[in-house]
Amino acid sequence: KIEKEIELYRGDVRIKISELDEEHSRWTAWICLFVTLLAGGLGAAVPLFITNRSDKLLKKSYEKMVEELKTQIESVDKDAKSAKESLTVVTTLKKDIDIIKSEIDKSKRETELAALKTKVNKLFAQAILESKKDVQHSIELFAKVIELDSSNSDAFFMRGKLKHDLRDLEGAMADYNKAITLSPNNDDAYCDRGGLLISLEKLDDAMKDINKAIEINPNNAKAFLARGLIKTRRNDKKGAMNDFNKSIDLNPYDGTVYLSRAFLNYDLN
C-alpha cells in the first residue's frame, strides 16, 4: 500500500514537473520574445538617440559657427569700410600731391627758363656790343647763344649778317636760312638773304626774297633799295627809280640809297 502511495506520489511529482517544465518553457519563450523585442527596440532607439544628440550638437556648432561668421563679416565690413575711406583719403592726397608736384615742376621749369633767358639775353647784348669792335668774337658769342637756345632766330640772323660782312657767304646763307625757318615772318632776314643772292648773281631768287620782305613789311626801306638794285641790273631804270624814291621816302637818312639813285640819274643823263 505504501509502495502504491509512493508510486502515486511519484506520478503526481512527474505531472507537476511536467507542468513546471511547460510553465518554464512558456516563460522562457516570453522572456526570449521580450528580450528580442527589447533588443530590437534598443537597436532602433539607440541610433535615434545618438542621431538626435548629434543633431543637437551639430545645430549648436552650426549656430556657433554662424555667429562667428557674422562677427567676422561685420569685422571685415568694418575693415573694408575703413579701408575704403582710407583709400579715398589716400587717392585725394595723391591727387593733391600730384597737383603740388606738377606746380613745383612747372615753377622749376619756369625758373630754369627764366634763368636761361636771362643768360641768353646777356650774351646776346654782349655779342651786339662786340660786333662794333670785334666781329669774330661777336660771332663766337652768338654761337654760345645758339648753343643755349637753338630756337633763337635773331641769333642766327645776326650771326649771318656778321658772316656776310666777313664774306663768309656760305656760312651767312646757312644762318639766314635757319633764321627764316625759325621765324618765317622776319622781313629783314628775307631782305638780307636777297642781298646775298644779288652778290651771288642769283637775281631771280633774290627778287623772290625781296618781294617777300616787302609783302611782310611794306615799310622796309632797305628792301626797296635792294629791289631797285636788282631792277637796275635788269635795266629796268624806271622801276629802279621808283624803288629808290620809295626807299628814301621811308628812310631819308640812308646815304646808300642816295648814292644808288645818283648813279641811276647819271645813266639817265
Side-chain angles (χ1 to χ4, degrees):
K1 187 178 179 178
I2 290 171
E3 287 176 357
K4 289 181 180 181
E5 288 294 333
I6 290 170
E7 189 65 29
L8 288 171
Y9 180 74
R10 286 178 178 172
D12 293 336
V13 169
R14 282 197 293 270
I15 293 170
K16 193 64 176 177
I17 289 171
S18 178
E19 291 176 353
L20 287 173
D21 287 340
E22 290 178 1
E23 187 71 17
H24 179 266
S25 296
R26 284 199 301 274
W27 278 106
T28 299
W30 281 107
I31 289 170
C32 289
L33 179 61
F34 176 74
V35 169
T36 301
L37 292 173
L38 181 61
L42 287 174
V46 168
L48 287 174
F49 174 76
I50 292 172
T51 301
N52 188 41
R53 179 178 176 81
S54 297
D55 288 343
K56 288 181 179 179
L57 290 173
L58 287 173
K59 186 177 181 181
K60 287 182 179 180
S61 298
Y62 173 76
E63 290 174 351
K64 183 178 180 182
M65 183 175 67
V66 169
E67 290 299 322
E68 289 177 352
L69 285 174
K70 284 182 179 179
T71 303
Q72 290 177 8
I73 290 170
E74 290 175 357
S75 176
V76 170
D77 286 341
K78 186 177 179 181
D79 291 342
K81 185 177 180 181
S82 177
K84 187 177 180 181
E85 292 174 353
S86 299
L87 181 60
T88 302
V89 173
V90 169
T91 302
T92 303
L93 286 174
K94 187 177 182 299
K95 288 181 180 178
D96 292 340
I97 290 170
D98 289 341
I99 292 172
I100 293 170
K101 185 176 181 296
S102 177
E103 290 296 325
I104 291 172
D105 291 342
K106 181 181 177 182
S107 178
K108 183 180 178 182
R109 286 195 301 272
E110 289 175 349
T111 302
E112 290 174 349
L113 286 173
L116 179 63
K117 188 175 181 180
T118 300
K119 187 175 182 179
V120 166
N121 289 339
K122 185 177 178 180
L123 278 171
F124 193 94
Q126 188 179 353
I128 293 293
L129 291 173
E130 285 294 316
S131 66
K132 308 297 181 182
K133 300 179 293 184
D134 187 344
V135 174
Q136 190 59 49
H137 186 214
S138 179
I139 289 175
E140 292 172 0
L141 290 174
F142 279 123
K144 289 182 179 179
V145 171
I146 291 169
E147 184 179 346
L148 292 172
D149 181 11
S150 59
S151 63
N152 194 318
S153 63
D154 290 336
F156 280 104
F157 172 59
M158 293 303 298
R159 190 173 71 173
K161 287 174 69 70
L162 294 175
K163 289 180 179 179
H164 195 171
D165 292 340
L166 292 177
R167 304 305 297 169
D168 178 9
L169 302 185
E170 186 177 347
M173 182 63 74
D175 281 343
Y176 287 149
N177 290 340
K178 187 65 175 180
I180 290 171
T181 299
L182 292 171
S183 181
N185 292 320
N186 187 340
D187 57 300
D188 286 330
Y190 280 105
C191 186
D192 282 22
R193 188 173 71 175
L196 177 57
L197 289 168
I198 290 173
S199 64
L200 294 173
E201 297 296 330
K202 296 181 179 180
L203 299 184
D204 290 340
D205 292 335
M207 181 63 82
K208 290 178 183 178
D209 273 355
I210 299 303
N211 285 334
K212 183 65 176 180
I214 294 172
E215 178 188 335
I216 295 171
N217 180 14
N219 295 319
N220 191 322
K222 189 176 177 181
F224 281 101
L225 168 59
R227 193 168 70 175
L229 293 172
I230 295 173
K231 289 179 179 180
T232 299
R233 294 195 181 192
R234 287 180 169 179
N235 205 30
D236 179 8
K237 296 178 180 180
K238 182 178 180 180
M241 184 62 73
N242 289 334
D243 282 339
F244 289 150
N245 290 336
K246 180 67 175 178
S247 180
I248 290 172
D249 288 341
L250 292 170
N251 181 19
Y253 302 103
D254 184 358
T256 305
V257 188
Y258 287 102
L259 185 61
S260 298
R261 191 171 67 173
F263 279 120
L264 180 59
N265 280 317
Y266 179 81
D267 289 339
L268 293 172
N269 293 316

